Amino acid sequence: MVRSMPVRRFKRGFKLGLIKLLIGNKAAGVHLSYVGRGATDDLCRRIVDIGHTDVLVVTDKALKELGLAERALAGLVEAGVNLHWYAGVDPDPTFAHVIEGRQALRSAGCTAIIAVGGGSSMDAAKIIACTRSSDEAPDKWVGMNKVPDDILPIYAIPTTSGTGSEATMGAVIKDPVEKLKHIIVAEGLLPQAVALNPDLLVGLPAPITAATGIDALTHGIEAFICIWDRGTRKENGRLAIQGVFRWLEQAVQHPEDMEARQGMAVAAYHAGIAINQVGVGNVHAIAHQLGARYGIPHGQANALALPHVLQACLSEAETALAELAVVTHVSEAASPAARAQAFVESVTDLIRKVGIAETDPRIQSEDWETLAHAAMDESDGYVSPRLLTKAEMLGILRDISVS
Ligand SMILES: [Fe+2]
């Protein structure tokens, strides 16, 4: 059901007030991060020092078969830690993956979980970590602070640079029947420590590097331009955006460039810290629907929507976008409106340069109405510069569909 704009504004104001009351004064989370070519060894030492002897590794089949996950965790094996595996995570994990992971976790009696992979593995690992003793159906945990209290400690080793899940207390789980993506948030889902090792990123194909990089850019921008001035969301957002502008093209064109890979890993991490404080926005509200309905990879879906959403919010987000134009060296025009416009154009340009198409043939016109409603519903909970109308949502869907 589509609510009127005043009702949507009231609903958003109420939600924001409630969130501010509940978490506004809390730190957005503190954890350790190791960066560089020795980062995974450092993380392994940390896990050994804490005293874990049996850990569950959550990853996908390809990373397990390639031996990449094993190489990353060699330090644990050398120290005598027993690795138990759940290597069944697929893109866009579902509650069925969580149940499978729960079986692996319990049969081995693990005391910690290590996610090795992209956002899907990290998100699945977070929810599997909640199943240590609870037999509750995990779909009951959708929303904020609904997971059980005894969450296992989570450690993250990202093998893509985009999701930011390594720095957030949220996880996205797909319901394949309803074709919806659900978000589960709880403080205990924030990984205890993370290793950002560029060696694990060099094999990432160019299209995935590009799409995940635009996901990170979207996180940085949505946190930077939002209406909730909380914590360090602006500083981390800026560092993320500057990092993506500096390193993404290079990482796409020169996959083995360690400096570019590390630059992107750090950018995505900053973006994760930024959204962990204020959430995402309209771009994600649209992208989640495209991912859930058509399986369009998350970063690619963001890349489709991002320029259109920014253009729609140009006037409300003008000051922030104009500031971004300066810090990314895109424009120093005297007029803020000109600088903001230049920044949006530079984002469009970057998406093009890294090879992501501006339209997608999978989006069907008969679904526009449903997609627009679902995106509006999701966006009502976000602190974006403003809510988009149904006509605007439909316009964006039309623009990113193949006519
Ligand atoms: Fe995202």
Side-chain angles (χ1 to χ4, degrees), residues 215 219 284 298 302:
D215 185 26
H219 296 158
H284 274 75
H298 179 64
N302 276 326

Side-chain angles (χ1 to χ4, degrees), residues 181-388:
K181 286 194 173 185
H182 296 296
I183 302 170
I184 299 176
V185 181
E187 273 182 75
L189 299 185
L190 182 73
Q192 306 275 314
V194 50
L196 307 174
N197 186 339
D199 285 299
L200 304 180
L201 304 166
V202 293
L204 204 61
I208 301 177
T209 302
T212 50
I214 297 300
D215 185 26
L217 177 66
T218 309
H219 296 158
I221 294 175
E222 296 211 291
F224 194 90
I225 68 174
C226 82
I227 57 169
W228 188 11
D229 195 15
R230 182 181 179 216
T232 60
R233 57 101 192 175
K234 243 185 128 176
E235 189 182 347
N236 290 114
R238 172 180 61 77
L239 288 166
I241 296 159
Q242 287 174 315
V244 174
F245 268 73
R246 172 70 183 85
W247 297 115
L248 182 56
E249 265 189 271
Q250 201 162 323
V252 169
Q253 286 164 12
H254 305 284
E256 300 199 354
D257 182 329
M258 288 291 175
E259 208 182 354
R261 289 298 191 181
Q262 186 166 306
M264 278 307 301
V266 172
Y269 178 66
H270 278 299
I273 296 172
I275 56 167
N276 196 44
Q277 298 175 69
V278 291
V280 288
N282 285 316
V283 182
H284 274 75
I286 297 170
H288 286 150
Q289 316 317 320
L290 301 178
R293 183 160 288 264
Y294 306 116
I296 298 176
H298 179 64
Q300 214 177 320
N302 276 326
L304 289 165
L306 179 60
H308 299 281
V309 170
L310 292 183
Q311 197 64 47
C313 299
L314 202 52
S315 107
E316 292 79 5
E318 182 182 287
T319 306
L321 293 170
E323 203 179 328
L324 289 176
V326 176
V327 299
T328 51
H329 308 293
V330 162
S331 169
E332 291 191 357
S335 139
R339 291 203 302 277
Q341 183 64 50
F343 180 73
V344 176
E345 283 165 18
S346 73
V347 167
T348 309
D349 203 35
L350 179 61
I351 292 169
R352 232 175 257 147
K353 279 184 185 158
V354 296
I356 304 178
E358 291 164 48
T359 56
D360 194 296
R362 285 169 283 190
I363 305 170
Q364 303 297 311
S365 57
E366 60 265 30
D367 296 334
W368 290 349
E369 189 87 5
T370 310
L371 292 167
H373 286 187
M376 278 190 291
D377 204 35
E378 181 176 328
S379 70
D380 286 355
Y382 294 151
V383 288
S384 317
R386 77 171 168 89
L387 298 173
L388 297 181

